[in-house]
Amino acid sequence: MKKALLTLVCGLWLAAPALAAIDTHEFDTQAERDRYRKLTEELRCPKCQNQNIADSDAPISLDLREETYRLMTEEGLSDDQIVEFLVERYGDFVRYKPPVDKRTLVLWYGPFTLLGLGMLMLALIIVRRRKGGDSDAAGQQLSGDEQQRLNELLNQTRESADK
Amino acid sequence: MAKGRLLAVLAVLAGVAGFAWMSIYGLHNDPRELPSALLDKPFPEFSQPMLGEPERLLTRKDLLGKPALVNVWATWCPTCRAEHAYFNKLAASGVPIYGINYKDDEAKAKKWLHDLKDPYVLNISDPRGALGMNLGVYGAPETFIIDSEGVIRFKYVGAVDDWVWKEKMAPVYEGLLKP
């Protein structure tokens, strides 16, 4: 029991640093600290496929966090300016939210277009069913010609069956 | 009704074809390879010491004049070791290659160039990765092609070998050589 507990404690102790990359940055105000945290959570690590720079332990993420901190505190840039600074160097990949432009039109509006098309088709099918329902009743009645042809066909099969 | 069914079949076929195209496109599209945001933009300004001659400051002007390769390397990067021999070959065939020694230890870098031969015209020392940051470097090796005016024309992430050079880089480089 004691051993199990010890293992558990050691395991937790080892796991703690893995939760998030820890930097020792100093901020004057809590608002600044929150701003830094929000920014680093919204920026994507270029080396990793799906991790923000706040969580990533990749060396490049450490550099980008340092740069974000420097741009914030030393250069006094706004959030948009910092994102712009990084996009100029690393491309739109570093943003989790891609901008709306020619290349991303399909990404932004594709799903709505498909939804619209689906609704349109559904509406067409419903309308057709409704109309079809009416004409079905009319279709039950055979015209004079059709009745005659039916009789002929029935006679033919009867004759061939007799043979 | 037959027309409606035909339309539905065509729609499904179009969907399947679209999905197949996406899958095939996806197979050949490595998500780890990011397009450079600096393509067709001027190589960033810098002023950093030369590797081996710390008192000499290199600037953007030192890279101009001829189309050239700019290779980001470090001794801690095993892939850089893998591609080094190929750079020796390229340099011997007359392609100017500038090096950026990225976040590295100067003594180790000098030993590396001594042991493995030095294919570089010159090496920019970038111990803190400041130039790397301005170049959008997110790992090593990365290799850029710049034209004689210092405009970035191509970027390759990963080891340059015979195939990469012939298939991807040589056409761009040779295109720049023509006046």
Side-chain angles (χ1 to χ4, degrees):
Chain A
M1 185 61 204
K2 227 176 184 178
K3 210 172 174 187
L5 202 70
L6 193 71
T7 318
L8 182 73
V9 169
C10 283
L12 284 177
W13 178 71
L14 282 173
L19 283 177
I22 296 161
D23 298 326
T24 49
H25 286 141
E26 286 186 18
F27 295 94
D28 293 339
T29 61
Q30 184 60 35
E32 285 272 280
R33 196 190 314 274
D34 290 343
R35 219 188 114 199
Y36 173 78
R37 212 192 50 221
K38 193 165 161 280
L39 251 177
T40 52
E41 279 172 3
E42 280 174 0
L43 289 166
R44 184 178 180 187
C45 157
K47 186 78 186 168
C48 334
Q49 280 306 299
N50 201 358
Q51 222 179 4
N52 55 31
I53 63 170
D55 283 341
S56 163
D57 279 327
I60 185 63
S61 293
L62 176 67
D63 288 358
L64 291 181
R65 285 198 298 273
E66 291 293 331
E67 192 67 11
T68 307
Y69 180 75
R70 193 184 68 79
L71 292 172
M72 251 182 82
T73 54
E74 285 174 34
E75 311 263 324
L77 296 189
S78 72
D79 290 6
D80 286 347
Q81 281 171 320
I82 292 172
V83 171
E84 183 60 24
F85 177 93
L86 292 174
V87 166
E88 270 172 20
R89 286 157 181 77
Y90 289 92
D92 287 327
F93 189 89
V94 293
R95 303 172 65 178
Y96 267 112
K97 195 177 163 188
V100 183
D101 63 26
K102 256 195 307 201
R103 292 167 306 142
T104 55
L105 270 183
V106 174
L107 186 67
W108 280 100
Y109 299 113
F112 297 109
T113 316
L114 284 178
L115 185 71
L117 275 175
M119 300 273 257
L120 194 74
M121 276 175 91
L122 192 69
L124 276 175
I125 288 169
I126 289 172
V127 166
R128 191 171 291 171
R129 284 266 162 87
R130 289 243 170 98
K131 266 193 197 157
D134 292 344
S135 62
D136 265 3
Q140 298 290 318
Q141 310 284 332
L142 295 180
S143 66
D145 283 354
E146 281 169 337
Q147 189 65 47
Q148 202 182 337
R149 173 113 180 90
L150 180 64
N151 289 341
E152 276 172 23
L153 282 170
L154 282 173
N155 285 335
Q156 269 177 16
T157 41
R158 215 168 282 151
E159 278 165 22
S160 56
D162 287 346
K163 280 174 194 167
Chain B
M1 205 56 205
K3 213 179 180 186
R5 191 157 296 171
L6 188 71
L7 214 66
V9 168
L10 278 179
V12 169
L13 276 180
V16 169
F19 190 76
W21 178 79
M22 255 165 54
S23 317
I24 291 168
Y25 180 75
L27 276 182
H28 294 288
N29 193 10
D30 187 349
R32 282 167 302 179
E33 231 172 78
L34 311 187
S36 177
L38 287 156
L39 223 54
D40 294 325
K41 302 231 173 86
F43 196 90
E45 294 284 350
F46 64 92
S47 172
Q48 284 179 217
M50 181 165 154
L51 182 71
E53 275 182 60
E55 59 289 342
R56 184 173 160 200
L57 278 184
L58 298 173
T59 63
R60 188 175 175 276
K61 281 203 191 86
D62 291 300
L63 310 179
L64 308 184
K66 273 194 246 172
L69 304 191
V70 181
N71 173 238
V72 180
W73 66 280
T75 56
W76 45 261
C77 145
T79 319
C80 299
R81 184 176 281 268
E83 69 174 357
H84 195 85
Y86 196 72
F87 281 134
N88 283 334
K89 226 160 127 188
L90 273 184
S93 74
V95 180
I97 308 170
Y98 299 102
I100 299 176
N101 187 224
Y102 179 65
K103 295 175 78 174
D104 207 356
D105 178 78
E106 177 132 7
K108 277 189 199 164
K110 276 197 261 181
K111 185 175 180 322
W112 161 293
L113 291 180
H114 180 263
D115 293 348
L116 298 174
K117 274 176 70 183
D118 181 357
Y120 303 106
V121 178
L122 49 84
N123 260 293
I124 305 157
S125 196
D126 192 24
R128 306 200 53 197
L131 176 57
M133 171 77 60
N134 285 337
L135 272 172
V137 170
Y138 58 91
E142 292 190 11
T143 306
F144 296 84
I145 300 180
I146 57 170
D147 66 16
S148 56
E149 312 273 297
V151 177
I152 295 171
R153 295 300 185 185
F154 185 83
K155 172 186 180 178
Y156 186 78
V157 178
V160 174
D161 55 21
D162 197 45
W163 185 85
V164 170
W165 173 254
K166 283 189 179 137
E167 291 294 316
K168 302 195 165 184
M169 301 179 78
V172 180
Y173 176 72
E174 274 149 23
L176 294 174
L177 285 180
K178 285 174 207 144

